[in-house]
């Protein structure tokens, strides 16, 4: 059965040694600047701000083309003091506004974590791509109703500065969406490649 396009960002699959641990850095936590106007959705890849201010931002397609942009991890929601509601709110995505002060961001940053993601290109990502690296496809954007990411995986290549590495393809259960390796939009498993805790030597 042909796969259906329906990107969901990066979903925890496990670690190199076992089950998912949803490892988030809380000490200190990551932060989003209150004035950062780009929405960040649950399951989005994030990186540090270009200005080296210590704030995280949404990863954009092409960020991995340079050695200075290094993946932090996967965004899993946030909390902030809402200017409009006059109270602290918890949200599974950052809407891009309405915070008084910094936003606390929950980011899974375990360097050994594995993630399920949909191929976002016009053809399947197959067994021959295992071991190659890839950037993200940023469109369609995330869903402001559910807060879920719209990111998917770009064409695998051998560029060593890209953020993700293909480690497997999903083929079971047979007939389920994402398991058809003969059509586009199949599901693959990726690991972090060029990430802050496992960045490449010399990069």
């Amino acid at each position: 059965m042909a796969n259906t396009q329906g990107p969901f960002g990066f979903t925890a699959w496990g670690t190199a040694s076992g089950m998912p641990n949803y490892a988030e850095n809380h000490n200190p936590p990551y932060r989003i600047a209150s004035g950062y106007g780009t929405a960040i959705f649950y399951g989005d890849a994030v990186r540090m701000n270009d200005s080296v201010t210590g704030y995280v931002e949404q990863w954009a397609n092409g960020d991995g083309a340079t050695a200075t942009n290094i993946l932090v991890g996967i965004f899993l929601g946030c909390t902030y003091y809402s200017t409009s509601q006059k109270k602290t709110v918890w949200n599974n995505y950052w809407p891009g506004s309405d915070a008084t002060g910094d936003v606390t961001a929950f980011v899974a940053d375990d360097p050994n974590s594995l993630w399920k993601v949909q191929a976002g290109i016009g053809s399947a990502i197959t067994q021959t791509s295992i071991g190659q690296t890839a950037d993200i496809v940023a469109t369609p954007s995330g869903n402001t109703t559910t807060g879920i990411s719209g990111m998917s995986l770009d064409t695998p290549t051998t560029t060593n500065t890209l953020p993700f590495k293909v480690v497997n393809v999903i083929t079971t259960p047979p007939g389920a969406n994402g398991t058809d390796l003969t059509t586009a939009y199949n599901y693959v498993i990726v690991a972090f490649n060029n990430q802050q805790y496992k960045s490449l030597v010399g990069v």
Side-chain angles (χ1 to χ4, degrees):
M1 182 181 74
N3 304 311
T4 301
Q5 184 182 23
F8 45 80
F10 295 86
T11 299
W13 181 262
T15 68
S17 59
M19 296 295 292
N21 59 16
Y22 302 96
E24 301 171 16
N25 194 327
H26 294 287
N27 189 24
Y30 292 107
R31 291 183 174 85
I32 303 166
S34 61
Y36 180 63
T38 299
I40 307 176
F41 295 89
Y42 188 98
D44 274 357
V46 293
R47 63 176 177 81
M48 284 295 174
N49 174 273
D50 277 338
S51 303
V52 198
T53 58
Y55 291 112
V56 295
E57 295 184 344
Q58 185 189 56
W59 185 276
N61 180 270
D63 282 345
T66 66
T68 56
N69 290 322
I70 297 177
L71 181 73
V72 170
I74 305 301
F75 182 78
L76 300 178
C78 60
T79 182
Y80 55 92
Y81 187 84
S82 167
T83 305
S84 62
Q85 299 181 57
K86 301 294 188 289
K87 65 179 181 179
T88 299
V89 298
W90 297 76
N91 205 345
N92 68 338
Y93 86 107
W94 162 241
S97 63
D98 194 37
T100 298
D102 290 344
V103 178
T104 298
F106 307 119
V107 179
D109 60 2
D110 180 355
N112 296 312
S113 58
L114 302 176
W115 302 86
K116 181 174 80 170
V117 63
Q118 185 171 51
I121 54 179
S123 58
I125 295 176
T126 63
Q127 189 84 14
T128 58
S129 293
I130 292 176
Q132 294 186 321
T133 60
D135 205 338
I136 60 104
V137 174
T139 55
S141 61
N143 188 312
T144 56
T145 300
T146 64
I148 300 299
S149 170
M151 287 185 179
S152 52
L153 201 69
D154 205 351
T155 305
T157 180
T158 57
T159 304
N160 71 343
T161 57
L162 296 180
F164 297 100
K165 177 177 288 188
V166 179
V167 298
N168 215 334
V169 293
I170 295 178
T171 59
T172 57
N177 188 45
T179 63
D180 184 356
L181 299 186
T182 67
T183 63
Y185 311 124
N186 64 303
Y187 297 160
V188 300
I189 306 302
V190 297
F192 293 152
N193 181 52
N194 191 20
Q195 189 247 5
Q196 64 174 353
Y197 293 131
K198 60 185 303 184
S199 56
L200 305 172
V201 175
V203 170

